[in-house]
């Protein structure tokens, strides 16, 4: 009987510990996981044109190692999400299931 009370105490302490972390996650998820609004499309267009301008002028050669590392990780994340989406779409890790 004493073991049951320990389990209940353990579960309640896990819930108490996880609650603030879950609230923080939900706060950031509402901001980061929403699709862009129509009002934000001009900012996206400006960002893309700025990137193209940077590539044309060679200004990309003057970024810091920290910025280059950060941008590389962002590009890797985008690639990995693309790969995950492909795996979900084709329902296989490698190759497509082609039925003849």
């Amino acid at each position: 009987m004493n073991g049951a009370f320990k389990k209940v105490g353990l579960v309640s302490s896990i819930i108490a510990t996880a609650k603030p972390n879950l609230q923080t996650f939900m706060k950031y998820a509402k901001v980061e996981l929403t699709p862009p609004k129509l009002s934000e499309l001009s900012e996206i267009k400006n960002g893309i044109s700025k990137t193209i301008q940077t590539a044309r002028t060679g200004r990309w050669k003057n970024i810091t190692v920290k910025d280059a590392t950060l941008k590389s990780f962002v590009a890797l994340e985008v690639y990995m999400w693309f790969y995950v989406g492909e795996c979900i779409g084709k329902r296989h890790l490698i190759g497509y299931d082609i039925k003849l």
Side-chain angles (χ1 to χ4, degrees), residues 83 87 90-95:
Y83 184 74
C87 290
K90 63 186 176 184
R91 295 188 176 120
H92 296 282
L93 288 177
I94 301 171

Side-chain angles (χ1 to χ4, degrees), residues 21-85:
N21 293 335
L22 185 61
Q23 289 172 345
T24 303
F25 170 77
M26 290 305 294
K27 181 178 89 171
Y28 287 117
K30 287 179 184 176
V31 175
E32 296 294 331
L33 298 177
T34 58
K37 300 175 185 148
L38 290 177
S39 61
E40 296 173 339
L41 291 179
S42 64
E43 294 176 31
I44 294 170
K45 181 182 174 188
N46 291 339
I48 291 172
S49 64
K50 184 178 175 184
T51 302
I52 292 171
Q53 183 73 16
T54 300
R56 285 185 181 161
T57 61
R59 199 174 84 207
W60 59 272
K61 297 175 189 175
N62 297 328
I63 63 173
T64 63
V65 173
K66 182 179 177 181
D67 285 341
T69 305
L70 180 65
K71 290 175 191 247
S72 298
F73 281 131
V74 169
L76 179 65
E77 181 183 11
V78 169
Y79 172 74
M80 295 305 288
W81 279 116
F82 173 78
Y83 184 74
V84 167

